[in-house]
Amino acid sequence: MRLRPGNEAAPPLLVRRSLERIFGGSARVDQVKVVELSLFARLHGRAIATTRRRRIFLRGSAAEFFSDPVLMLHEYCHVLLQWETGSLTTLRYLRECLRRGYWNNRFEVEAREFARNHQFQLRELLRQGM
Ligand SMILES: [Zn+2]
């Protein structure tokens, strides 16, 4: 069997527009590539997803991801508010993990907090169909 690197998947229109509403004008949701069933994500231990600049790599399917508001907010926060601004780099992330572990590293703390603070807004946008 040949190992495939993963499939690219675009968010449904409603999801994309709702995320754009939350992340604001300068953050480009449409520039973020989402890769499902990603080999790269599977190489990252037990993580459900891993991010890089303008990329979200999912262990599972895109359909699952795009129906999970908290997870989407968390991962798009890493990409649009951390990678895109330059605050998150691979080196800084590893340094934070060594210093504080996975759960308490500042990038994870910020992404969890962002997801918590915006989950109701995103659910509401999705429910209303905008
Ligand atoms: Zn995270």
Side-chain angles (χ1 to χ4, degrees):
M1 195 183 91
R2 199 164 66 92
L3 284 174
R4 299 178 56 210
N7 308 316
E8 244 180 65
L13 187 61
L14 175 60
V15 169
R16 178 162 67 78
R17 291 210 174 131
S18 300
L19 289 170
E20 280 167 354
R21 185 77 74 84
I22 288 171
F23 284 95
S26 57
R28 300 288 306 275
V29 173
D30 62 333
Q31 286 179 335
V32 181
K33 286 197 172 144
V34 176
V35 180
E36 65 174 355
L37 309 172
S38 158
L39 182 59
F40 187 63
R42 279 156 202 261
L43 295 175
H44 284 72
R46 290 167 300 147
I48 309 168
T50 189
T51 59
R52 288 297 179 273
R53 187 163 182 267
R54 297 185 181 179
R55 296 282 188 280
I56 297 170
F57 298 94
L58 304 172
R59 171 180 287 269
S61 75
E64 278 172 275
F65 178 66
F66 292 130
S67 59
D68 187 337
V70 171
L71 184 59
M72 285 194 288
L73 289 165
H74 184 109
E75 302 305 334
Y76 277 96
C77 173
H78 281 314
V79 175
L80 296 173
L81 304 182
Q82 297 176 350
W83 283 106
E84 197 63 26
T85 59
S87 77
L88 173 55
T89 64
T90 304
L91 188 63
R92 283 192 196 144
Y93 190 87
L94 290 175
R95 215 184 276 148
E96 275 288 307
C97 278
L98 289 175
R99 211 174 279 164
R100 298 180 232 274
Y102 168 78
W103 188 257
N104 291 317
N105 97 50
R106 66 188 162 104
F107 301 109
E108 294 304 333
V109 170
E110 184 187 42
R112 278 201 308 272
E113 198 174 284
F114 185 88
R116 204 167 43 239
N117 291 341
H118 293 86
Q119 60 172 312
F120 297 108
Q121 189 189 356
L122 179 54
R123 284 184 210 283
E124 195 55 22
L125 288 167
L126 294 170
R127 195 182 62 78
Q128 291 170 353
M130 303 252 315

